[in-house]
Structure formats: C-alpha cells, structure tokens
Amino acid sequence: MADHPDDPVDPFPTDFPEPPPSRFPPVGEEGTSIVGTPGDPVDPPSDWNAGANAHDLPLETGRPSRLKALGRMAFPPPPPADEEILAARDRRWTSRVIVIVAVVMLIFNGASLQNWARQQAPNWFTVTVQQVADVWMAQVSQLGADRPRQAMREAYQDAHDARFPGQDPA
C-alpha cells in the first residue's frame, strides 16, 4: 500500500508477510513435528478418543434458561384438557370433515347421484331425487365442475379401449 495518498497503488502487491507454519503438513510428511507459534498450542498427532460416546453427553443442564423461565412465567401452560373437552373437539373435527367431503362430492361427483337414482325402482322418492340430480348436474356443468370427472372418465375409457398392435378392436 502507499504511505502517502498521492503515491500510486501497486495493483499486484508482492511484499506479503511470511505465512505461519501449517498445522496440516503435506501428505508424506505427517511424521515431522510441527512447531507452533508462541502461545499457540500444538495439536497432538491425533485427538481421537476411542472411549468417547456421544450418548454420554448431558442433554439438560438441570436448570432451564432464563428465557424459557420468563416465557413460562409470562405464558403459563394451560391446564390439561379433560375427556369431555377432547371428545367435543373430536366431534367438531369429524363433523367438519364429513360436511366438507359431502360438499366436494356433491359438486364434483353429482353424476353418481343421477346414476343411483336411475338404477332404483321408480317411486316418488327416487323420481324426485333423479329430477333434482338432473337439475343439479345441469347447473354444475354450466360452472365447469363436471369437467374433471369427464376427463377422468375419458382417460379410463381410452385406457380400456387401448389394444396392442394386431389385436382385435374392443
């Protein structure tokens, strides 16, 4: 570097200090001892401890950290839930899942309801269900919600009708 601001800066400096001796000698020179700098301990040739086991290390120091203690004081854990609360939570979860699945099936698989109603013996109930299903599928098809079912049906039919070369058509 330049000592004075007006002196030009050397773009390729070459006067570097001598590097410290390497703690990792080149291959083949492992037997030579490495002299460390003063105050710098020399590594032993091997620091491997054959008797060490990672499972012997302590997991807890005994006392929680101050931050954990402060968190427990500021936000104490709630009391454990009793069986009645857990049962109510399970019923809510189950009823929500059933409603969501029913709505999804009604939107995307209404044709199954039509097919079921057509297969039953005609009476007031099945005729009414068939008419409601026909109207429902007409509305759903206007939204395009029947297209995934149609695409799956077409893919199945194409795979079903596929033949090997030279095989008779289906």
Side-chain angles (χ1 to χ4, degrees):
M1 287 186 62
D3 294 333
H4 193 271
D6 294 335
D7 291 344
V9 178
D10 185 11
F12 303 106
T14 56
D15 56 340
F16 293 115
E18 186 67 29
S22 174
R23 291 181 179 261
F24 306 102
V27 176
E29 298 178 18
E30 289 88 6
T32 61
S33 64
I34 301 170
V35 178
T37 58
D40 194 17
V42 176
D43 281 345
S46 174
D47 59 353
W48 176 257
N49 184 355
N53 188 351
H55 299 289
D56 294 337
L57 298 174
L59 297 178
E60 287 291 326
T61 58
R63 200 175 113 187
S65 69
R66 293 180 185 178
L67 185 61
K68 284 184 181 178
L70 178 65
R72 286 190 187 129
M73 184 184 73
F75 305 103
D82 60 347
E83 290 182 20
E84 192 173 318
I85 292 173
L86 293 175
R89 183 174 55 194
D90 293 343
R91 282 192 302 271
R92 281 194 309 267
W93 180 85
T94 304
S95 62
R96 287 176 186 161
V97 168
I98 290 172
V99 167
I100 289 170
V101 167
V103 168
V104 168
M105 293 297 287
L106 186 62
I107 291 172
F108 292 108
N109 200 16
S112 295
L113 186 60
Q114 280 180 317
N115 293 338
W116 175 83
R118 288 183 186 138
Q119 292 173 0
Q120 302 304 315
N123 60 26
W124 177 85
F125 178 73
T126 57
V127 171
T128 305
V129 168
Q130 182 179 356
Q131 290 174 349
V132 169
D134 290 340
V135 171
W136 174 254
M137 283 308 296
Q139 296 296 320
V140 167
S141 65
Q142 288 179 355
L143 294 174
D146 63 336
R147 289 190 184 184
R149 184 179 190 282
Q150 288 176 353
M152 289 295 291
R153 180 68 183 168
E154 290 170 3
Y156 167 76
Q157 204 60 42
D158 291 344
H160 185 267
D161 294 341
R163 297 288 179 235
F164 289 106
Q167 189 177 5
D168 294 334

